[in-house]
Amino acid sequence: MTEVQDDYSQHYSDSKFWHKLKKFGKKAGVKVAYAALLLFYTAKKPTTPKKAKASIFGALGYFILPLDIIPDFTPIAGYSDDLSVLLVALLTVAAYIDAESKQEAKDKLVNWFGESVLEDVSAMDKDLEKKRNEKKD
């Protein structure tokens, strides 16, 4: 584990992340799964700064916690708080999300959901690219 990840180890672990995503990914939906995967793969890059990793592991820790502001088993709204937390983290670390992380996340989504999901995530990619460009200016 990395030093930053050790700070979040009581709330986050790779095994807990994969367990939650595999068990509830389809129920949570493509956008939640894509956001979580983007963060996961970005955190795994050695070039991602510790500050960004802290934001990522905080968001992923919230995602895997069984107790949320809106419980995950609540119909329709159950994963809306998870998505909100993941999106805030994505926007915070957008500058560090590269093409390789996007491709790894998309490959996993296609494996789970099929090719049609790529249309669903294209809007998220556009928003991230816009945010990334804003940070460069």
Side-chain angles (χ1 to χ4, degrees):
M1 274 192 195
T2 66
E3 183 179 313
V4 172
Q5 192 173 353
D6 286 340
D7 295 343
Y8 294 91
S9 62
Q10 60 183 301
H11 302 293
Y12 174 82
S13 74
D14 287 357
S15 63
K16 288 178 185 178
F17 169 77
W18 285 113
H19 174 76
K20 173 100 180 217
L21 200 56
K22 286 177 182 176
K23 188 171 181 181
F24 298 106
K26 288 189 178 185
K27 184 178 179 183
V30 172
K31 289 181 181 179
V32 171
Y34 186 54
L37 288 166
L38 282 173
L39 291 170
F40 175 80
Y41 289 120
T42 300
K44 294 300 174 186
K45 298 198 140 316
T47 56
T48 302
K50 289 181 180 182
K51 184 176 179 182
K53 288 182 180 190
S55 294
I56 291 170
F57 288 125
L60 293 179
Y62 182 85
F63 172 68
I64 64 175
L65 281 174
L67 299 174
D68 291 349
I69 293 171
I70 302 172
D72 292 341
F73 58 82
T74 304
I76 301 171
Y79 288 95
S80 61
D81 62 322
D82 295 273
L83 180 59
S84 296
V85 169
L86 294 172
L87 288 176
V88 168
L90 279 174
L91 294 176
T92 301
V93 302
Y96 308 107
I97 299 172
D98 61 13
E100 184 180 342
S101 295
K102 287 180 185 179
Q103 192 58 54
E104 287 177 299
K106 287 176 184 177
D107 289 347
K108 188 62 78 175
L109 284 179
V110 167
N111 186 21
W112 287 341
F113 295 98
E115 291 280 334
S116 63
V117 299
L118 296 177
E119 291 176 29
D120 296 338
V121 299
S122 65
M124 284 178 71
D125 282 342
K126 287 177 187 173
D127 290 342
L128 285 172
E129 195 60 36
K130 181 180 175 184
K131 188 68 173 180
R132 184 180 178 129
N133 289 333
E134 287 173 5
K135 288 195 176 212
K136 287 181 182 178
D137 296 337

